Each structure stands twice: as structure tokens, then as C-alpha cells.
Amino acid sequence: MSTRTLISPARLARPRGRVLYWVTFVLVVALFTLVFLGPLYWMVSGGLKTTQEAVQTPPTFVPHTVHPGNYARAWDVMELSRLLFNTLYYAFGALAFQLVFDVAAAYSLSKLRPLFGKAILGMMLVTLMIPATVLVVPQYLTVLDVPVFERNLLNSPWAIWLPSVTNAFNIFLLKRFFDSIPRELLDAAAIDGAGAVRTLRSVVLPVSRPILGVVSIFAVVGVWKDFLWPMLTLPDPAKQTLNVGIYSLSHGVPENILIAALAIASLPTLIVFLVFQRNIMSGLTAGGLKG
């Protein structure tokens, strides 16, 4: 059975068809490259310009003179070392909580099949339809005075970690992957005397590394790029995240130094994507097909 394509093999075999195909292909790739890499180039090059050149109109595409020292100055002026440490602390704390609780929830829904499990999953997925900004006020009131415990979590990492645990999308991804694990593996573990927790630790988790990598990346990037929630819950400048700290310290800072700081703040997530892009795609598609 032949694969259907936009251009038939007969037309592609003709010289005119090949030329049209390659011209279209090059134009589409160039367009998407410009759309996605253009802002990154503009940010990196803006950090290499002088203050006057960074704000002039019309802007310059290539810096007249290159000033790499702007990045070292931005590192010191914007206190990026402290902000990076805070952000990493919050991000990996959120990752640890998500791996523990989201994996347990997904495993329970997939393999333990609790009563009303489908209804619970359905209610989780419904929360994906609610805009995140709608939940800001009730979440803020909750961390301001936690019910039952009556604790104020503002200016503490718990204000970042606890809301991040309730991630319906990650639970759904994990459940889909766990559904694709053959039941025979779990039955064999049960015959050997392994309980539910032992089966999860010794059988399910070792074969779930691709999806665990995807969930880990989503968890870290989710905290890394968030701005509104840390700004509300971490008013103490010493405890702010990277994005909020750059915004707080940006007043009176030259534009080229500010752009250099933004470029440095964007670098870790770009490196994570470039290094783990294969893992991201393989993890997202690993549980899509069975058989």
C-alpha cells in the first residue's frame, strides 16, 4: 500500500515538480526558522550593543561594535547568581513533588483501577479547560491561609511547590504510558509476591524512563518560565525567582544590560530542549500506540 502525499510520485518525478517541491520546502523551512530563531537572535545581539544602539530607531540588525562585557555586567548588576539558585531550588523541589504524587496518582488510575477512577480522571481533565488566570485568586487565598493548618505560605517555597503538584496534564501523560505497559509484566510480579508499591518501583518505573523524562522537563520549565504566581507569592526580593527578580531590578538599568540578562535567563531552558529534544518526542509518543 503506497503512502499518500500532497504531491503525487508521478508529478514529483518530473523536473518541474521537483523544482516546485524543493522551492516550497526551502521557503517553508526558512519562514519557520525566521519566526522561531529571529527573536532569539534579536535578544542575543541586543545584549552585545551599546545602550544608544539598543534603543535607536530604526534598529540595527548587526551590532556596529560588539560588547560581550555587557553579559558579565548583567550577571553582577541583576544578581543573576542568586536568582538562578532560587529558581533551581524551586524548580527541582516542584519536580520532586510532581514525580512522587503524579506518578502515584497515574499508577493508581491506570493499574489499580479505583472506584470511580474514570470519573476522577474526567474531573482532572476538565481542569485543563479552565484558564490558569482564573485560578490565581482562589490559589492565592489558599496559600495565604491554608485551610485546617491555618498557615501562611507566602515567601516560602511551599507556595510554589504545592500548587505545582496538581498537574492534570502530567498525570494524563503518565497514565497513558502506564496503560501501554503489558499486563503480563504486572501479573508476573504479583506471582513473585510483589505488592503494588514494589511492582511500581521495580517494574513500572524502570520501563517508564522516557515519560518520566518528559514530565521532569515540563515540571522544571513550568516553574522556570512562570512569572505571575511567583510575583504574587514571593514578595521578598531575597526569595524571588529569575523572571520576577529581573523585573524587580530592571528599573534604572540600561536597556542593553537588561536584554543581556534576559538572554542569560533564557539560556538554561534552551540548552535543556536542545539536549533532550529526542527524549521529549519519544516520551510523548511512547504510550500512543499499543501492540
Side-chain angles (χ1 to χ4, degrees):
M1 182 178 179
S2 60
T3 303
R4 298 185 61 180
T5 60
L6 293 176
I7 302 177
S8 64
R11 181 175 298 179
L12 190 59
R14 302 171 186 171
R16 184 178 178 181
R18 285 197 300 269
V19 171
L20 180 61
Y21 170 80
W22 284 110
V23 169
T24 305
F25 178 79
V26 170
L27 289 177
V28 171
V29 171
L31 176 62
F32 277 91
T33 301
L34 180 63
V35 169
F36 287 104
L37 297 184
L40 297 178
Y41 170 79
W42 202 259
M43 182 171 57
V44 173
S45 63
L48 297 173
K49 299 177 180 178
T50 61
T51 304
Q52 294 76 13
E53 187 179 1
V55 299
Q56 78 176 40
T57 304
T60 56
F61 185 74
V62 179
H64 295 317
T65 55
V66 178
H67 298 272
N70 291 343
Y71 285 89
R73 185 181 172 190
W75 181 271
D76 296 330
V77 171
M78 306 299 291
E79 303 177 18
L80 293 183
S81 58
R82 173 178 59 83
L83 297 176
L84 279 170
F85 175 79
N86 290 345
T87 307
L88 288 172
Y89 177 61
Y90 298 138
F92 283 100
L95 169 62
F97 279 102
Q98 286 196 35
L99 287 181
V100 172
F101 291 100
D102 290 0
V103 166
Y107 178 69
S108 300
L109 293 172
S110 175
K111 299 302 182 183
L112 302 184
R113 303 187 183 279
L115 189 64
F116 304 118
K118 293 184 178 180
I120 295 173
L121 178 63
M123 288 188 288
M124 286 184 181
L125 295 180
V126 166
T127 62
L128 296 177
M129 309 300 170
I130 303 175
T133 52
V134 176
L135 302 176
V136 169
V137 173
Q139 284 184 346
Y140 181 80
L141 295 177
T142 300
V143 299
L144 185 64
D145 185 14
V146 180
V148 180
F149 298 98
E150 298 183 354
R151 295 290 301 274
N152 187 341
L153 300 182
L154 297 183
N155 280 321
S156 73
W158 295 103
I160 304 295
W161 293 342
L162 293 183
S164 68
V165 172
T166 57
N167 194 313
F169 181 70
N170 285 349
I171 294 176
F172 176 71
L173 284 181
L174 289 165
K175 180 185 178 300
R176 287 288 298 170
F177 189 93
F178 294 161
D179 288 343
S180 67
I181 297 177
R183 187 71 191 181
E184 291 76 9
L185 290 177
L186 307 184
D187 294 338
I191 292 174
D192 292 338
V197 177
R198 177 66 183 276
T199 301
L200 173 63
R201 184 177 68 251
S202 302
V203 178
V204 176
L205 292 183
V207 301
S208 303
R209 291 176 183 173
I211 195 63
L212 293 178
V214 173
V215 170
S216 300
I217 293 171
F218 285 169
V220 172
V221 173
V223 174
W224 196 280
K225 68 182 180 64
D226 198 8
F227 175 79
L228 179 60
W229 184 248
M231 184 178 66
L232 294 175
T233 57
L234 301 172
D236 187 356
K239 299 180 179 180
Q240 290 176 343
T241 60
L242 192 61
N243 294 334
V244 179
I246 290 177
Y247 170 77
S248 302
L249 299 172
S250 62
H251 305 289
V253 176
E255 281 74 7
N256 58 335
I257 303 300
L258 179 59
I259 295 174
L262 294 174
I264 295 175
S266 304
L267 185 61
T269 52
L270 292 176
I271 293 176
V272 168
F273 173 75
L274 293 176
V275 173
F276 297 103
Q277 57 179 325
R278 291 182 179 271
N279 302 76
I280 295 175
M281 296 307 299
S282 62
L284 289 174
T285 58
L289 298 176
K290 293 183 179 181

